[in-house]
Amino acid sequence: MHFSIPETETRAGDGGAAYVAYNIHVNGVLHCRVRYSQLLGLHEQLRKEYGANVVPAFPPKKIFTLTPAEVEQRREQLEKYMQAVRQDPTLGGSETFNSFLRKAQQETQQIPTEEVVLEVLLSNGQKVKVTILTSDQTEDVLEAVASKLDLPDDLIGYFSLFLVRETKDGAFSFVRKLQEFELPYVSVTSLHNSEFRIILRKSYWDSSYDDDVMEHRVGLNLLYAQTVSDIEHGWILVNKEQHRQLKSLQEKVSKKEFIRLAQTLKYYGYLKFDPCVTDFPEKGCHVVVSAGNNELNFQVRLPSEQIKEGSFKVTRMRCWRVTSSVPMSNGPSGSSPGKSEVKLELAFEYLMSKDRLQWVTITSPQAIMLSICLQSMVDELMVKKSGGSIRKMFRRRVNGALRRSDSQQAVKSPPLLDSPDASREPMAKLSSKLTSVSLRGISHSSSANDVGTNDFHGNYAFEGIGDEDL
């Protein structure tokens, strides 16, 4: 998650007195407005719980009214503070920090706590309506959806809720995975755009975990619906013979065999991102990025119109960072993210050869989602390396009680596959490996008119690679 405070506002308090509000953005979108005193209260609570030596330094109080220059200085300091807290595994994952952000989000959007019906989509477009509170956090909503579908408790951790934007052709553009510090109902309704939806999708990368999910009828149906959808939208590449075999398995209602065959196909289990721009192998190249199988796959269209393909393994990324640039503004902030001029970039330092690292940059509105994918791949790799299980990665609250729905809803079986898109197969044949392209140096520059903020991620999985991985 990319936290920033790109702007401030002067607002009127309850008594009419003016105060400075600091607009906290997550992924370039306004999450909440808070006062200095609220953040100071959070800081003091964190110090009380975790100790002064763990919590980062907080901007000091001022006796007199702040000048515009001092407001700007405090904004920068508070931004660095929030980023430091979020990136600390203990502080950033604490209930104190997350509950503060949830409460602030609800107060900022002025949405009262009340019972509502929230619509969550499945990969096949099926709508699942759950009754929740507007103040329910992501984990509460995920449990409510699981209950409605009769998904067993021990399989909930294999799925996540994602904020997506529905495109004209019925596909989904992924915005982000919903986090523990936000309220799903507030997050989606505050966007004031019906194109934004919440979707349930599997949240792991290693296809061997499919075996666990397919043990249960509901898990199998969810995985089957997602696989069919990914094939229909061209995320999984299928030739004519494979398409015939898959359709035959559908007609026999052989869902497990269908998934087994799909697992052997190119890009199975990948998330496909919207077309964007990269500086690899040269600046200004248009690229389609897919994330999966512990890698980022590039399909690059060079200025010569030649298409080349290559993959960047997560185990060879030393680190990565997300950069956002926002025009300076002290005026009122709009609530619609669609009007935001935020420029997002993901850059990762890659081990091109045994002794040579190189930065590769992707400029995309989905840079944060790409970063989330990289982090979850690393987390999954580290859990597997330590002999753990992703079943344990789903942390149930001590006092949390799963509210079982009074009525269950079955996962509908998707229709038979349509005829394969003839335009997709030649694209793969035209592709050649990026490794055949000579590499060039990468330069970084930023506009003097922008306020740049960095979200830096060290890669723990990188430390464990050896010569056999190169």
Side-chain angles (χ1 to χ4, degrees):
M1 286 291 104
H2 182 57
F3 278 69
S4 63
I5 305 179
E7 58 197 2
T8 61
E9 293 182 43
T10 301
R11 301 178 70 87
D14 295 335
Y19 69 90
V20 175
Y22 296 87
N23 293 348
I24 298 177
H25 287 227
V26 180
N27 303 350
V29 177
L30 177 67
H31 180 80
C32 59
R33 298 184 185 92
V34 293
R35 302 176 68 156
Y36 171 85
S37 58
Q38 290 174 279
L39 291 173
L40 177 60
L42 168 65
H43 173 70
E44 291 174 344
Q45 185 61 33
L46 289 172
R47 277 172 57 98
K48 181 179 178 181
E49 292 184 25
Y50 299 100
N53 60 328
V54 175
V55 182
F58 192 79
K61 291 181 180 179
K62 301 283 186 179
I63 299 175
F64 302 106
T65 302
L66 292 149
T67 65
E70 289 173 328
V71 169
E72 173 60 16
Q73 181 185 45
R74 177 174 280 182
R75 181 199 65 77
E76 292 178 355
Q77 292 171 337
L78 289 173
E79 180 177 76
K80 290 178 181 177
Y81 175 83
M82 291 297 290
Q83 290 173 350
V85 170
R86 175 59 188 173
Q87 290 181 16
D88 183 282
T90 302
L91 302 177
S94 68
E95 180 58 21
T96 298
F97 182 67
N98 290 326
S99 62
F100 172 85
L101 289 171
R102 291 194 296 265
K103 182 180 178 182
Q105 181 190 27
Q106 188 175 7
E107 290 176 349
T108 298
Q109 299 300 336
Q110 298 181 327
I111 295 178
T113 297
E114 59 185 359
E115 197 173 83
V116 292
V117 174
L118 179 66
E119 192 174 87
V120 176
L121 297 182
L122 303 184
S123 296
N124 60 0
Q126 181 180 345
K127 299 173 182 177
V128 179
K129 295 183 178 181
V130 291
T131 301
I132 62 165
L133 295 176
T134 53
S135 58
D136 277 344
Q137 59 187 344
T138 300
E139 196 171 271
D140 296 327
V141 177
L142 179 59
E143 289 180 357
V145 175
S147 171
K148 186 78 173 182
L149 297 173
D150 200 25
L151 183 69
D153 293 0
D154 63 346
L155 291 185
I156 297 177
Y158 290 87
F159 294 88
S160 292
L161 298 174
F162 294 85
L163 180 66
V164 298
R165 189 166 193 164
E166 194 167 8
T167 59
K168 292 179 180 179
D169 61 356
F172 299 109
S173 173
F174 281 74
V175 179
R176 70 175 185 271
K177 177 181 173 181
L178 293 180
Q179 302 292 315
E180 66 275 15
F181 58 76
E182 63 184 313
L183 310 176
Y185 178 84
V186 177
S187 292
V188 72
T189 56
S190 64
L191 295 173
H192 305 293
N193 188 332
S194 60
E195 293 178 356
F196 289 96
R197 313 294 293 270
I198 294 174
I199 191 171
L200 179 75
R201 186 179 173 90
K202 74 175 186 180
S203 58
Y204 57 88
W205 301 100
D206 189 338
S207 60
S208 66
Y209 292 121
D210 287 348
D211 292 339
D212 297 340
V213 176
M214 290 192 292
E215 287 176 1
H216 190 272
R217 168 185 51 84
V218 178
L220 172 62
N221 289 338
L222 286 170
L223 192 57
Y224 174 68
Q226 179 177 313
T227 305
V228 172
S229 174
D230 287 355
I231 293 172
E232 287 284 20
H233 290 122
W235 287 21
I236 300 173
L237 291 187
V238 181
N239 61 33
K240 290 182 179 179
E241 175 56 26
Q242 292 163 342
H243 186 276
R244 186 194 64 76
Q245 294 175 31
L246 288 167
K247 194 165 186 177
S248 174
L249 291 171
Q250 275 192 301
E251 291 169 346
K252 297 174 184 176
V253 198
S254 301
K255 296 179 182 178
K256 282 189 179 181
E257 289 75 12
F258 182 97
I259 293 170
R260 297 283 186 216
L261 176 55
Q263 287 173 336
T264 67
L265 304 179
K266 192 168 185 178
Y267 304 134
Y268 173 81
Y270 282 64
L271 274 182
K272 190 174 183 179
F273 292 84
D274 299 338
C276 54
V277 177
T278 182
D279 60 2
F280 184 89
E282 53 186 289
K283 194 172 182 178
C285 288
H286 293 272
V287 62
V288 173
V289 181
S290 298
N293 194 30
N294 297 322
E295 67 180 22
L296 292 184
N297 176 273
F298 277 30
Q299 289 187 12
V300 179
R301 185 180 295 275
L302 299 175
S304 64
E305 294 301 310
Q306 186 179 12
I307 297 172
K308 291 186 178 288
E309 180 186 3
S311 294
F312 297 92
K313 293 289 184 183
V314 70
T315 49
R316 294 177 66 172
M317 296 179 188
R318 190 183 72 84
C319 59
W320 69 87
R321 65 174 178 235
V322 175
T323 304
S324 67
S325 301
V326 187
M328 285 289 292
S329 173
N330 289 315
S333 172
S335 59
S336 172
K339 299 178 182 178
S340 177
E341 298 178 34
V342 177
K343 177 184 178 183
L344 290 171
E345 290 184 340
L346 171 78
F348 56 88
E349 193 175 23
Y350 195 74
L351 192 62
M352 294 293 181
S353 59
K354 190 171 182 179
D355 300 313
R356 187 161 66 90
L357 289 159
Q358 178 175 334
W359 283 95
V360 177
T361 302
I362 303 167
T363 303
S364 167
Q366 294 175 294
I368 300 296
M369 186 65 196
L370 281 163
S371 177
I372 291 172
C373 289
L374 291 177
Q375 188 61 60
S376 59
M377 287 178 193
V378 170
D379 291 343
E380 196 171 298
L381 281 171
M382 297 306 290
V383 167
K384 196 166 186 176
K385 185 178 179 181
S386 65
S389 168
I390 64 168
R391 285 180 186 264
K392 299 175 183 177
M393 290 174 70
F394 181 71
R395 300 174 297 174
R396 185 175 298 283
R397 295 179 306 283
V398 176
N399 298 321
L402 180 58
R403 294 172 293 181
R404 281 291 168 193
S405 175
D406 293 334
S407 61
Q408 263 75 48
Q409 182 174 337
V411 180
K412 295 178 182 177
S413 187
L416 295 179
L417 290 169
D418 291 334
S419 298
D421 187 342
S423 66
R424 286 178 185 145
E425 200 175 346
M427 177 76 117
K429 289 180 180 178
L430 284 171
S431 300
S432 58
K433 295 296 181 183
L434 275 172
T435 49
S436 64
V437 182
S438 60
L439 303 176
R440 59 190 299 277
I442 309 288
S443 62
H444 294 281
S445 63
S446 59
S447 171
N449 298 324
D450 290 347
V451 179
T453 56
N454 292 312
D455 191 8
F456 187 85
H457 300 263
N459 183 1
Y460 294 106
F462 179 84
E463 298 175 354
I465 70 172
D467 291 344
E468 68 277 6
D469 298 304
L470 300 179

